């Protein structure tokens, strides 16, 4: 795939997350998908759907705003702002009604036209602090 096709694939994935269209993951994510990539103990495609469902229940307006996207070879790196409002249970804390916005960097690996996996680096401590649950 070209670099532009790789960038487009990742953009479709992020749009699917923002739109809560997790069923499209079957088209975008490889059968051997894991987080982190190539990890036998990693989070599978179905596991990712489950985790995102958990986050959406805690933060119903969860959204990823892409700030930067860089593609090189079979890798696409995205820097985004993850934001939302804490309305449901998160880490044994009931919704506070507080909003948050934290930075996240995702490093996607593309294999045969699908996302094979990605690494996530995000400010979980910043999220907890903004919600007052740290």
């Amino acid at each position: 795939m070209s670099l532009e096709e790789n960038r487009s694939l990742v953009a479709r994935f992020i749009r699917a997350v923002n739109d809560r269209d997790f069923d499209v993951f079957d088209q975008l994510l490889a059968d051997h998908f894991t987080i982190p990539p190539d990890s036998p103990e990693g989070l599978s495609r179905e596991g990712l759907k489950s985790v995102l469902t958990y986050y959406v229940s805690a933060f119903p307006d969860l959204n990823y705003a892409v700030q930067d996207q860089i593609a090189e070879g079979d890798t696409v790196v995205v820097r985004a702002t993850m934001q939302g409002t804490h309305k449901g249970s998160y880490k044994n804390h009931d919704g506070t009604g507080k909003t948050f916005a934290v930075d996240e960097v995702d490093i996607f690996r593309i294999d045969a036209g699908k996302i094979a996996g990605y690494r996530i680096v995000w400010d979980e401590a910043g999220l907890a602090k903004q919600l007052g649950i740290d």
Side-chain angles (χ1 to χ4, degrees):
M1 289 181 66
S2 72
L3 295 180
E4 187 55 42
E5 289 169 322
N6 288 349
R7 283 192 290 265
S8 178
L9 175 65
V10 170
R12 286 178 55 208
F13 170 78
I14 293 169
R15 191 168 42 254
V17 171
N18 284 341
D19 292 345
R20 315 297 186 255
D21 187 9
F22 304 149
D23 291 336
V24 79
F25 287 4
D26 296 335
Q27 298 169 16
L28 304 177
L29 306 180
D31 290 340
H32 59 279
F33 172 88
T34 56
I35 297 176
D38 302 322
S39 173
E41 301 83 32
L43 191 63
S44 68
R45 181 169 57 193
E46 292 305 314
L48 176 61
K49 290 178 185 180
S50 178
V51 167
L52 286 172
T53 298
Y54 167 76
Y55 273 86
V56 168
S57 70
F59 312 105
D61 59 346
L62 184 72
N63 183 271
Y64 292 87
V66 174
Q67 307 302 323
D68 294 300
Q69 187 186 61
I70 301 166
E72 175 86 22
D74 66 353
T75 301
V76 177
V77 179
V78 172
R79 182 179 66 88
T81 301
M82 179 175 70
Q83 50 203 6
T85 307
H86 185 207
K87 295 197 174 194
S89 179
Y90 175 70
K91 297 204 174 195
N92 296 320
H93 294 275
D94 291 334
T96 62
K98 295 181 180 178
T99 60
F100 72 92
V102 295
D103 289 330
E104 177 170 324
V105 175
D106 300 319
I107 305 168
F108 293 86
R109 189 174 69 74
I110 312 301
D111 181 26
K114 293 194 175 190
I115 298 170
Y118 66 103
R119 295 185 184 282
I120 305 166
V121 180
W122 68 290
D123 186 5
E124 190 171 5
L127 177 133
K129 184 173 183 174
Q130 290 176 49
L131 298 182
I133 61 172
D134 57 341

